[in-house]
Amino acid sequence: MGKRVKGLSFGAKPERKINVSKVREAIVWLIEIGIAVATAFVFAYFFGVRASVIGPSMSPQLEDGNEVLINRFSYKFVSPKSGDVIAFFPNGNKNTHYYVKRVIGLPGDTVQIKDGVVYVNGKEYQETTEVSRMEDAGLAEGELKLGEDEYFVLGDNRNNSEDSRYVNIGNVKEEYMIGKAWFQITPRDKIGFIK
């Protein structure tokens, strides 16, 4: 048998070793990036839907052109409550802009507006924000009984709001709601949670 000579070797490929710790580290990084992207997508899809307020109907809380974030997730588990500010499509018409209003009456409630004041189930509604007396009761001049899936909504600027008092909006079905308006993002001096 001949001796093996050290030196150059033509034709023989050197063995490559895989650095297992580097591969593990790369996999962990990819998983972390995937989780971060998925979390950002879920947050943006459910909690970060932006909507612009159109018109003065929610003044002074929200003014024309203000932008809000809509939480599309919350109403999948709980129903809207009295006082919630919601975004919805009027009569389910998705070819129009979002309407932003405050929930006053809940399914099964009776709503009536007498002498400029809202009554829910025969009792004066306790406003969560300062509002003026309504000059026009509209459809709520007589008692309105809400159906199982209907909500009565009003703008905070009661005398300059197109809301459930009028036929073109009427009572809002839960299926027409996009979600709860929960955070105001413009203008800068009013950034914060919506009351």
Side-chain angles (χ1 to χ4, degrees):
M1 272 208 211
K3 281 185 171 178
R4 192 158 189 192
V5 180
K6 291 184 181 179
L8 295 175
S9 173
F10 298 100
K13 293 184 180 175
E15 237 180 80
R16 289 188 181 175
K17 291 188 177 180
I18 296 174
N19 189 335
V20 176
S21 67
K22 294 275 187 198
V23 171
R24 267 195 214 130
E25 188 177 332
I27 290 171
V28 168
W29 270 84
L30 288 173
I31 291 171
E32 288 176 352
I33 290 170
I35 290 170
V37 168
T39 302
F41 174 78
V42 168
F43 185 81
Y45 181 79
F46 286 114
F47 304 107
V49 176
R50 287 172 76 149
S52 291
V53 177
I54 310 280
S57 71
M58 288 299 290
S59 180
Q61 170 82 36
L62 301 168
E63 301 289 348
D64 183 39
N66 289 172
E67 291 189 341
V68 297
L69 293 179
I70 309 297
N71 179 343
R72 297 198 312 187
F73 192 64
S74 66
Y75 293 153
K76 298 204 183 295
F77 298 103
V78 296
S79 295
K81 296 185 295 285
S82 180
D84 283 0
V85 176
I86 62 164
F88 64 95
F89 288 117
N91 298 311
N93 181 0
K94 294 183 179 179
N95 295 322
T96 188
H97 62 83
Y98 296 161
Y99 277 53
V100 177
K101 307 290 180 198
R102 189 175 302 278
V103 174
I104 304 297
L106 304 174
D109 283 348
T110 301
V111 178
Q112 185 175 17
I113 298 171
K114 293 188 286 189
D115 301 321
V117 178
V118 181
Y119 291 86
V120 177
N121 300 324
K123 296 179 182 173
E124 186 174 336
Y125 180 74
Q126 298 303 307
E127 301 287 355
T128 56
T129 185
E130 191 174 322
V131 297
S132 55
R133 285 181 147 336
M134 283 173 277
E135 297 167 5
D136 184 8
L139 297 172
E141 186 174 18
E143 286 189 349
L144 282 178
K145 177 76 171 171
L146 301 176
E148 287 182 17
D149 186 34
E150 293 181 333
Y151 295 81
F152 189 86
V153 299
L154 293 173
D156 288 350
N157 186 359
R158 301 286 161 82
N159 292 313
N160 196 0
S161 176
E162 188 177 23
D163 47 41
S164 288
R165 294 175 288 170
Y166 304 105
V167 175
N168 56 332
I169 303 294
N171 298 331
V172 177
K173 294 181 180 281
E174 194 165 348
E175 67 187 89
Y176 300 158
M177 295 181 190
I178 290 92
K180 181 177 181 177
W182 67 283
F183 196 81
Q184 184 171 350
I185 55 177
T186 64
R188 284 184 182 170
D189 62 330
K190 291 182 90 177
I191 289 174
F193 293 100
I194 296 172
K195 298 176 189 171

